[in-house]
Structure formats: structure tokens, C-alpha cells
Amino acid sequence: MKWNELHSDACPVARGLSVIGDRWTMLVVRECFLGIRRFDAMQSRLGITRHVLADRLRTLEADGVLRREAYQDRPVRYEYRLTDRGKALYPILVSLIDWANAHVPLEGESAVTLLSRSTNQPIAPMLIDRNTGEDITTRTVRAVMNEPVPPQDG
Amino acid sequence: MKWNELHSDACPVARGLSVIGDRWTMLVVRECFLGIRRFDAMQSRLGITRHVLADRLRTLEADGVLRREAYQDRPVRYEYRLTDRGKALYPILVSLIDWANAHVPLEGESAVTLLSRSTNQPIAPMLIDRNTGEDITTRTVRAVMNEPVPPQDG
DNA sequence: CATATAGAGTTCCCTTTTGGAACTTATTGG
DNA sequence: CCAATAAGTTCCAAAAGGGAACTCTATATG
């Protein structure tokens, strides 16, 4: 199977990754969340090749995660902004930051910390179920597949 | 810059993605969360090439996300299980599923749904700050960088 | 004995993607 | 005229991915 065929896979993990699971893609999204909107700024900050950046921006736009907007004419130049679909990636990004800060240590402290705007203290992200208020863990939640699949447990 | 250099990047997004941001990697992790532990089972379920699967398993083990365990001798055969570090990826996976179910639609219903074990109803994942109880959004949280944004030469 | 199955990989070869650097195009400013 | 800005493209070599066959240990079958 080829990577590109995942887009129509039955599993949402596969479909999600077909959009954001490519090398560099989530880093481009990170730039957008940080307010970086322009090609050259992204390129020099990320150290990605222009070639690949152009491809990622095109793909993210096609998938409705970013939208391209002219910010000047003569010559016309475009910048990239998150759509609502793109903004909805925030929980993934926050969970990733939290995981990496805890589990992919770097000498010295982490260069990005998330602070609560109300307390100015670092946040401790936690996933809960809006319906029940319960913490979401492998013990409180189970995955059901519409097609049957072998046993489970982590 | 090359992808592999991200591992020592200052940004936790980059460091996190250096571990799980490769093609196929999170799909392998998904299999583990579903209780699939063996090479051949993963290979046939994912449709990934054996070649790439072997590489991903090696890398995930090296990064401490999976551990390889012999489940029989003569001939010795190994299976793969999530470590604590791997289990800590659950919020990322759940957020990804939630995002894809909402934003990467498929004809027909999604093949994987997450149900609360207490109510048997689909869950509605929501990220909150354990400290304040506040919902985590771009409006309630801000990212601060310890070092001023790297302008490529530093 | 020969053969078949099981299961975790490896090897080989070809195609696709990525990395690096230079080039293009439109326009302003000296 | 020449340089600068900025969003891309183009070209080529290197790395990663896809497909299929093969290895290696051991059990089971005829």
C-alpha cells in the first residue's frame, strides 16, 4: 500500500495522518499557530527547502487546513493562514508539545512553554470527555471498529 | 536542514515530530494501542512494506516508545509493546481521531469510534488545564519561547 | 526423507521524495 | 543601470519508500 491511499482509509487515524502525517507538515502548521504567515519567513525559520515548503503549503491548502491570501498586489504576494479546520488542530499540537516536553528531553529547558493567560503559569494539559467529565485514558475509553478486529489492551 | 536534525531542536514540536512525525510511525503506534503486537499482523493490517515496518519498529524501540519482548524461544520471536512513554501518546492519538472524524470526512461512517466505558456513548474529547480547569484554546493559552526566535545563524 | 507452514526479519531493485542551490518574475528604490 | 524583496520553480544528486523474493529456525505432515 502507498501512503497516498490512506486518504480514503476507513480508520480516522489513517485519514488524519494522510493530511498532517507527512514530514514537515505539522511544523508548517506550528509556524502558522505562531503567527508566521509568509513563505520566506517559514523557510528560513524551519530550514526546510523551498521546494518542499511550497509542496506542503499547496497540499495543506488543498486539504483545507490553510488558506492562501494575497496581502499585496503588484507584484501579487500571498500569505497563509489557518482555516477553522486548521485551528482545530490545536489540541493535537498542544498534546504533542506536552508529550515532547515530558518524553523527548533536551539539554536545558524546553524552548517553548505554554502558559495560561489567566495565571501566567505553565499549563498541564489533560484530555477529558466533555459529556462525562472523565479523564480520557485507555482505561476509561475503548475503541470500537465498525469492522471486527482481534482482541485488545495495551 | 535535514529532517534528522530535528531531534535536538529547541522546539518541543520539532523534537516530538522527530520521534513520531515520520510516515507510518503513528499508524504503528495505533496498532499497538489496538493490541496488535506482532510483525506479520501489523504488516498485513497496515499494508506497509516489511522493510519500512522493520525500520519503524527499530526506531520506535530506540526512542523508547516501544519495547521488544521475546514471546517464545526456539525460534526466538519478538513482539512489540508500548512503554510508558508510548502510552503517553494516547492524548495525541485521541485528538487526531477526533480531528479526523470531524474534518477529514469519509463516505459512510468512521470505522473507529471511541466510547466511554462507563456510558458506552461516544466521547467528546476536550483539552483542559489541570491546574485551572480552563479549556485550552489559542485564546486561553499562549506559547512563550525561552530563546528569542532563532534567525537561522544562532 | 521431502515438503509445507509459521513468523520475524533482510536483500535487491526500481520509483518517489527530499536536500541544496541556482534561477525566475514583478516591482520598488538608489 | 544595479540591487533588494519575496514567492515561488527548476535541476540534480541523495535518501527514503514500494514490491517482491529470500533467509533462518523450528514444527507438523505425508
Side-chain angles (χ1 to χ4, degrees), chain A residues 96-117:
Chain A
L96 176 61
I97 290 170
D98 194 48
W99 183 79
N101 278 339
H103 295 286
V104 193
L106 181 71
E107 336 59 75
E109 64 184 306
S110 179
V112 173
T113 316
L114 298 174
L115 301 184
S116 162
R117 285 194 203 271

Side-chain angles (χ1 to χ4, degrees), chain B residues 49-66:
Chain B
T49 63
R50 310 178 71 76
H51 187 206
V52 172
L53 176 57
D55 175 81
R56 291 301 179 276
L57 290 170
R58 231 182 335 255
T59 305
L60 284 169
E61 196 200 351
D63 285 327
V65 171
L66 302 181

Side-chain angles (χ1 to χ4, degrees), chain B residues 95-113:
Chain B
S95 301
L96 176 61
I97 290 170
D98 194 49
W99 183 79
N101 278 340
H103 295 286
V104 193
L106 181 70
E107 338 59 73
E109 65 184 306
S110 180
V112 174
T113 316

Side-chain angles (χ1 to χ4, degrees), chain A residues 4 36 56 72 74:
Chain A
N4 312 47
I36 311 301
R56 292 300 180 275
Q72 72 166 44
R74 307 196 347 269

Side-chain angles (χ1 to χ4, degrees), chain A residues 45 104 110 120 142 146, chain B residues 15 104 110 120 142 146 149:
Chain A
R45 286 170 46 91
V104 193
S110 179
N120 269 326
R142 69 200 167 92
N146 303 346
Chain B
R15 291 205 313 285
V104 193
S110 180
N120 270 325
R142 69 200 167 91
N146 302 346
V149 179

Side-chain angles (χ1 to χ4, degrees), chain B residues 10-103:
Chain B
C11 174
V13 179
R15 291 205 313 285
L17 291 172
S18 77
V19 176
I20 60 162
D22 243 330
R23 279 181 173 189
W24 296 110
T25 299
M26 277 302 282
L27 285 168
V28 173
V29 170
R30 174 196 73 180
E31 292 300 286
C32 294
F33 273 107
L34 289 171
I36 311 301
R37 306 193 222 283
R38 300 194 182 167
F39 191 94
D40 274 30
M42 290 183 190
Q43 195 271 319
S44 64
R45 286 171 46 92
L46 290 173
I48 188 178
T49 63
R50 310 178 71 76
H51 187 206
V52 172
L53 176 57
D55 175 81
R56 291 301 179 276
L57 290 170
R58 231 182 335 255
T59 305
L60 284 169
E61 196 200 351
D63 285 327
V65 171
L66 302 181
R67 94 189 106 91
R68 199 169 78 128
E69 230 169 62
Y71 66 89
Q72 71 167 44
D73 303 309
R74 309 199 342 270
V76 64
R77 298 219 186 292
Y78 298 96
E79 61 182 18
Y80 296 85
R81 287 160 174 269
L82 290 165
T83 60
D84 288 345
R85 178 174 295 179
K87 289 176 188 163
L89 289 169
Y90 200 59
I92 298 177
L93 203 64
V94 171
S95 301
L96 176 61
I97 290 170
D98 194 49
W99 183 79
N101 278 340
H103 295 286

